[in-house]
Amino acid sequence: MRKQFLFIFLALIAANTNEAQTRSTRIGYIDMEYILENVSDYKESKSQLELKATKWKQEIEIKKLEINKLKENLKTEKALLTKELIEERETEIKFLENEMLEYQQKQFGVDGNLMRQKAALAKPIQDQVFTAVQDIAEAKNYDFIFDKSSDLTMLFSAKRFDISDQVIRILNRTEKREQLTKKQLKEQEAKENIENEIDENPAMADRQKALDARKAAREKLVQDRKLEQEAKRKEYEDKRNAIAAEKAAKKNGTVSETANTTGTAKTDTTAKPATTTPAEPTTTTEPTVNKAEERQKLYEQRKKELEEKKKKILEEREAAKKAKEAETQKTNTTNN
């Protein structure tokens, strides 16, 4: 089959030799396996098929374990069994082994369920690829387009002749067009025109890659700045909230102390029970009062320390002054 294909290929090249002299022959190729792996519908169906294949493998492994267990039991009990029982068990094991091999061949053989279902999955995509290849060949004047993953052996293939990505784009475009509005269709067409120009001009593709890289770098820089601003704003809001909470706590603590003092005075002056003061608010305000008392104690302690420090400094100054006066008086006495 491969020899016949190569013969036809050489014959076609020979037939187009005269035409090739007037214009250059344009050749391209596709990689069907690569295209299939990048089509979403095929990938989803393939993952479901792989789950089925995993289930089949597990069933085969269970059968193998059962057969191995029977073999081990026969090996252990062989000395105690009669010849007829041994032959009966061996026949049973042989039957189970054949059954397992048949099941394995049925699921994973050359013409098994796995291969047939894979072919059934690939067939609709392959038809779409064939249509897309024809469209590309007619639009861009290709003379020959080959499948790299087929029987044709390609000893060398330059990447610039690979049109697989163009085929994938056409397949994706067809799928997207059904879900786009008129405005989005126009934008899509403009994008497609740019992609087509890039396909025709490799240098433009390099420039486009450079532009995309710069755009991505700018977007990343903008994103980093936004994140930094968000972090600063959050830090500022946290500080502001903390200050507001501290002020509110101070205010609540002062009010609570006044209320408690008034309540105590009323309780002392009147013999009536304080029925108007519920137990629940007292419980809630108690931590605030304690905090206010702690702050008051801390303030008084600091005030006391400052006063002691001031007193000590004054005493030192006074002592220094007295010492200086004593020294002056001593000097005067010596001179006299």
Side-chain angles (χ1 to χ4, degrees):
M1 179 66 186
R2 188 180 294 177
K3 288 181 180 178
Q4 289 177 355
F5 185 82
L6 288 172
F7 177 75
I8 293 167
F9 173 60
L10 292 171
L12 286 169
I13 291 176
N16 286 277
T17 304
N18 293 330
E19 190 180 351
Q21 289 174 353
T22 57
R23 68 175 184 85
S24 59
T25 304
R26 195 165 190 197
I27 300 172
Y29 70 91
I30 62 167
D31 187 344
M32 183 62 78
E33 291 179 1
Y34 170 75
I35 291 170
L36 290 174
E37 290 298 326
N38 284 277
V39 175
S40 57
D41 291 342
Y42 179 78
K43 283 197 289 187
E44 289 173 9
S45 303
K46 188 184 175 185
S47 62
Q48 291 176 4
L49 183 58
E50 285 173 353
L51 287 174
K52 282 186 183 179
T54 305
K55 187 180 176 183
W56 295 336
K57 284 178 183 177
Q58 288 172 352
E59 289 173 358
I60 291 167
E61 286 299 320
I62 289 168
K63 289 177 185 293
K64 280 183 181 178
L65 289 171
E66 288 175 358
I67 291 166
N68 289 334
K69 190 176 179 181
L70 289 172
K71 284 182 177 179
E72 287 294 326
N73 290 340
L74 178 60
K75 188 177 179 181
T76 307
E77 299 170 4
K78 201 168 187 179
L80 305 172
L81 299 174
T82 61
K83 187 179 179 181
E84 290 79 8
L85 285 172
I86 291 170
E87 289 176 356
E88 184 181 337
R89 290 202 182 179
E90 286 175 347
T91 305
E92 183 187 357
I93 289 169
K94 189 70 177 172
F95 173 78
L96 290 172
E97 282 180 335
N98 290 335
E99 190 181 46
M100 182 196 68
L101 290 172
E102 285 175 7
Y103 181 77
Q104 189 172 4
Q105 190 67 19
K106 178 185 174 184
Q107 304 298 353
F108 298 101
V110 178
D111 195 30
N113 283 332
L114 184 63
M115 298 302 292
R116 282 191 284 105
Q117 290 188 34
K118 267 188 180 178
L121 285 178
K123 184 68 170 61
I125 310 296
Q126 286 171 339
D127 292 340
Q128 292 177 37
V129 169
F130 180 69
T131 306
V133 166
Q134 285 184 319
D135 292 341
I136 292 171
E138 289 174 6
K140 301 187 178 180
N141 298 321
Y142 278 95
D143 296 295
F144 303 101
I145 295 177
F146 304 103
D147 181 6
K148 187 180 179 181
S149 58
S150 68
D151 291 337
L152 176 65
T153 303
M154 298 183 75
L155 299 177
F156 173 76
S157 56
K159 183 66 181 173
R160 66 179 181 276
F161 299 122
D162 187 358
I163 63 168
S164 301
D165 289 325
Q166 297 178 44
V167 173
I168 291 169
R169 280 203 294 270
I170 288 177
L171 297 178
N172 291 335
R173 287 171 190 173
T174 308
E175 186 180 349
K176 285 178 183 176
R177 279 178 184 275
E178 299 171 0
Q179 304 169 359
L180 298 177
T181 61
K182 287 183 179 180
K183 186 180 177 182
Q184 289 172 334
L185 275 172
K186 285 183 181 179
E187 292 175 355
Q188 183 66 23
E189 285 173 3
K191 187 180 177 183
E192 288 171 10
N193 291 333
I194 293 170
E195 288 173 350
N196 291 336
E197 289 175 9
I198 289 170
D199 292 335
E200 292 295 327
N201 189 354
M204 189 176 176
D206 294 336
R207 285 200 300 274
Q208 188 63 35
K209 283 180 183 177
L211 287 171
D212 291 341
R214 287 176 189 171
K215 186 180 177 183
R218 283 198 302 273
E219 288 175 354
K220 188 176 183 302
L221 184 63
V222 170
Q223 189 67 22
D224 291 342
R225 284 177 180 172
K226 280 183 180 178
L227 290 172
E228 189 178 351
Q229 287 173 358
E230 285 290 330
K232 285 181 179 178
R233 187 167 63 187
K234 190 175 182 305
E235 186 181 354
Y236 170 73
E237 286 177 356
D238 290 342
K239 283 182 179 177
R240 190 174 64 181
N241 292 336
I243 292 166
E246 189 177 349
K247 285 180 179 177
K250 285 180 180 178
K251 187 177 178 182
N252 292 335
T254 311
V255 171
S256 302
E257 282 178 356
T258 312
N260 287 340
T261 312
T262 311
T264 312
K266 284 184 179 180
T267 310
D268 293 336
T269 51
T270 57
K272 291 180 181 179
T275 52
T276 53
T277 310
E280 196 173 344
T282 309
T283 327
T284 33
T285 55
E286 188 175 353
T288 313
V289 174
N290 289 340
K291 285 182 180 178
E293 287 177 356
E294 286 176 6
R295 283 198 296 271
Q296 186 64 29
K297 285 179 181 178
L298 186 63
Y299 170 74
E300 289 175 358
Q301 185 179 352
R302 285 179 182 172
K303 188 177 177 183
K304 190 177 178 182
E305 287 176 358
L306 285 170
E307 287 176 355
E308 288 177 356
K309 194 173 182 182
K310 188 177 177 182
K311 188 178 178 182
K312 189 176 180 182
I313 291 167
L314 289 171
E315 287 175 354
E316 287 176 356
R317 283 180 183 175
E318 191 66 30
K321 188 178 177 182
K322 287 180 179 179
K324 192 174 180 182
E325 286 178 355
E327 189 177 348
T328 306
Q329 189 176 0
K330 187 179 178 183
T331 307
N332 292 333
T333 308
T334 308
N335 290 333
N336 291 332

